[in-house]
């Protein structure tokens, strides 16, 4: 059975849709920006950095607008706390993608070519994890009966991220040509990417609880 918890407010439903779009698109921009940096395309990287900053600002605006509307119009009082917590958690993903590119901008890490494929694979899987939680959140708001079609993929892709980052970090620390400080910088960079996937899984855990509460 289809259950739309925002059926009483089409406007807020559209705003939440747009908010989730910002997260999904930020993931794609993050991936493109990472590819540009590794390819030595400074202009392309700077363009993606600007794009993702705008996405994050728009996401913040939408989140605040939605939160204000939920309180001022006393909508879905039985689920308001869960929805607000979900929006805050999802906003972390948006900030995480922006932060990953800004970290590159600030630190300008030297990433040896042998690690490029692994970092691109990690970035791709992080984006897939985030996209799976975005689809899960859409289902939560629009059609609760379809949410299980997406939530299991969050855990799958997050586990893949853990495998990739472990392999990458092992290879980094076994490379005798790198200084210890360089190894630690690359460890922190790859670990930061993995944390985005970890957060997506945390959101999925919370979402599972919200679904149980909605079904009671």
């Amino acid at each position: 059975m289809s259950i739309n918890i925002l059926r009483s407010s089409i406007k807020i439903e559209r705003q939440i849709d747009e908010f989730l779009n910002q997260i999904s698109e930020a993931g794609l921009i993050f991936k493109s920006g990472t590819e540009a940096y590794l390819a030595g395309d400074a202009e392309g990287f700077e363009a993606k950095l600007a794009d993702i900053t705008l996405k994050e600002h728009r996401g913040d605006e939408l989140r605040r607008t939605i939160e204000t509307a939920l309180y001022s119009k006393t909508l879905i009082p039985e689920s308001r706390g869960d929805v607000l917590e979900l929006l805050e958690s999802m906003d972390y993903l948006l900030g995480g993608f922006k932060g990953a590119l800004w970290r590159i901008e600030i630190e300008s890490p030297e990433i040896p070519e042998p690690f490029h494929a692994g970092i691109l694979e990690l970035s791709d899987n992080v984006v897939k994890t985030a996209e799976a939680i975005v689809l899960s959140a859409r289902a939560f708001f629009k059609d609760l009966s379809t949410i299980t079609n997406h939530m299991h993929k969050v855990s799958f892709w997050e586990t893949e991220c853990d495998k990739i980052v472990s392999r990458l970090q092992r290879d980094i620390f076994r490379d005798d040509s790198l200084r210890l400080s360089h190894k630690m910088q690359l460890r922190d960079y790859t670990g930061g990417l993995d944390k985005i996937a970890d957060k997506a899984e945390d959101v999925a855990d919370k979402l599972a609880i919200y679904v149980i509460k909605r079904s009671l």
Side-chain angles (χ1 to χ4, degrees), residues 5 7 12-13 29 57 63-66 69-70 89 97-98 116 126-127 129 148 163 169 171 186 200 208 215:
I5 68 172
R7 58 188 177 276
I12 291 182
E13 182 178 349
I29 294 169
H57 287 166
R63 177 178 53 79
R64 287 192 291 267
T65 298
I66 294 164
L70 288 175
S89 298
F97 284 131
K98 186 192 83 167
H116 286 195
V126 168
V127 171
T129 309
T148 56
K163 293 176 184 176
Q169 292 181 348
D171 291 346
L186 294 177
S215 63

Side-chain angles (χ1 to χ4, degrees), residues 134-173:
V134 166
L135 292 173
S136 299
R138 289 192 199 279
F140 175 73
F141 289 114
K142 292 188 173 185
D143 187 356
L144 209 57
S145 65
T146 66
I147 197 167
T148 56
N149 296 340
H150 309 291
M151 280 185 60
H152 71 98
K153 295 176 184 176
V154 178
S155 180
F156 174 83
W157 291 118
E158 191 278 334
T159 299
E160 291 300 301
C161 289
D162 286 344
K163 293 176 184 176
I164 297 165
V165 80
S166 294
R167 185 182 72 239
L168 258 175
Q169 292 181 348
R170 182 181 63 246
D171 291 346
I172 287 167
F173 276 89

